[in-house]
Amino acid sequence: MKRLKFLLTAVFTAIFTIAVVTACNPSTTSTGSSSGGSSGGQTLTMATSADYPPYEFVDTASGSQEIQGFDIDIANYITDQLGYQLQINNIDFNGLIPALQANRADFVMAGMTPTAERKQNVDFSIVYYQAQNTIVAKKGSNLTTPESLNGKTVGVQLGSIQEGAAKDIQGANVKPLNRINEIVQELKAGRIDAAIMEDTVAQGFISSNPDLEFNPIPTTGESGSAIAFPKGSELVERFNPILEEMKSSGKMEELVTKWFRSEQAPGQAK
Ligand code: ARG
């Protein structure tokens, strides 16, 4: 009997301890594990603009505040391989490069294209995914080519390469907005005629907004996504071999399939 009492006390103490420890660990945007890399579980801070499904987004429908997506899986994989914890900060796209310049982030993953202009201010990894620009417009509006946007109002994300592409279109009235979902709302409300967006992102918005359609346009300048770092960061040399390894091992393809190709790809945007 004494023995039983002892056992019960031990069990209840254990349950209580687990409950307290769990309660003291509220979920934050920190992810990753300390899988014994050389850096002893230090934290790297990544900045992103989580308005870009399926690259990075908050799935508001699920009620979770957690940022998820293709870039997040890659960031988790790399930092895990290098033995770092990962902290993710969500800011507007236009503020990402200034955040690196002010050393407020160790790296940026935001489907960011390594342009010559950006390379003056930050360093980039190798390109890990290619993309193409498209015109998004209401179905039947016949806005399918750059020429058709002459005299039209075109929404783009502030500071993006799409803003540059739209400004190159003769006669287009460019309306830069902070976040991608604002562009979709403006389009649906008829306050803009069209938007320029990357194909994979457009695809997600179209599948949840059947009144819209998208048409690819020829790529003129730089395209694709790379990881950005503060100028001179030693992390570039450490991230690149892991990106290469992800490409050759099939890990990257697995994530591409998960986020861009599967029938019910997560993060079908609203
Ligand atoms: N690839 C484009 C660029 O680098 C757009 C990226 C937008 N990313 C985002 N997370 N909103 O300009």
Side-chain angles (χ1 to χ4, degrees), residues 48-52 55-56 71 93 96 109-115 118 131 133 157 159-163 178 180 198 223-225:
T48 190
S49 170
D51 64 342
Y52 213 52
Y55 290 85
E56 45 266 325
D71 283 346
F93 187 76
L96 291 173
M109 284 191 82
M112 187 179 273
T113 307
T115 65
R118 289 175 182 157
N133 279 345
Q157 184 159 45
S160 67
I161 56 165
Q162 288 71 30
E163 183 182 6
N178 269 322
I180 290 281
E198 272 166 336
S223 62
S225 301

Side-chain angles (χ1 to χ4, degrees), residues 1-215:
M1 185 62 197
K2 230 181 183 166
R3 195 176 153 74
L4 183 67
K5 207 171 163 191
F6 171 76
L7 270 176
L8 280 177
T9 315
V11 167
F12 280 121
T13 311
I15 292 174
F16 180 72
T17 312
I18 291 168
V20 169
V21 169
T22 316
C24 292
N25 254 328
S27 61
T28 61
T29 45
S30 307
T31 57
S33 65
S34 45
S35 58
S38 55
S39 312
Q42 280 175 324
T43 299
L44 286 184
T45 302
M46 161 176 150
T48 190
S49 170
D51 64 342
Y52 213 52
Y55 290 85
E56 45 266 325
F57 61 97
V58 178
D59 186 8
T60 38
S62 74
S64 140
Q65 286 306 301
E66 207 188 324
I67 301 172
Q68 45 177 311
F70 178 59
D71 283 346
I72 311 306
D73 280 1
I74 297 174
N76 271 318
Y77 184 86
I78 296 177
T79 49
D80 197 38
Q81 292 290 310
L82 294 174
Y84 287 106
Q85 300 282 325
L86 177 62
Q87 161 79 36
I88 301 174
N89 291 343
N90 188 10
I91 57 182
D92 281 351
F93 187 76
N94 198 37
L96 291 173
I97 290 193
L100 288 176
Q101 290 178 298
N103 277 313
R104 275 184 280 114
D106 297 301
F107 67 100
V108 159
M109 284 191 82
M112 187 179 273
T113 307
T115 65
E117 195 185 330
R118 289 175 182 157
K119 281 181 191 161
Q120 294 178 0
N121 299 313
V122 295
D123 286 345
F124 281 100
S125 71
I126 55 168
V127 168
Y128 58 85
Y129 192 67
Q130 273 301 342
Q132 193 180 1
N133 279 345
T134 69
I135 297 175
V136 181
K138 283 233 177 90
K139 259 191 192 145
S141 63
N142 235 356
L143 302 177
T144 54
T145 61
E147 298 72 47
S148 67
L149 299 181
N150 192 338
K152 304 288 176 194
T153 306
V154 182
V156 287
Q157 184 159 45
L158 181 68
S160 67
I161 56 165
Q162 288 71 30
E163 183 182 6
K167 284 182 171 158
D168 286 345
I169 298 174
Q170 212 194 340
N173 169 23
V174 182
K175 187 168 180 189
L177 293 160
N178 269 322
R179 299 187 81 81
I180 290 281
N181 61 337
E182 291 170 38
I183 301 176
V184 177
Q185 278 158 18
E186 292 291 288
L187 199 53
K188 287 175 75 75
R191 284 189 290 268
I192 58 176
D193 301 304
I196 298 185
M197 255 180 234
E198 272 166 336
D199 46 4
T200 42
V201 176
Q203 175 116 48
F205 281 108
I206 265 78
S207 60
S208 44
N209 296 283
D211 51 329
L212 303 178
E213 64 176 10
F214 75 104
N215 287 283

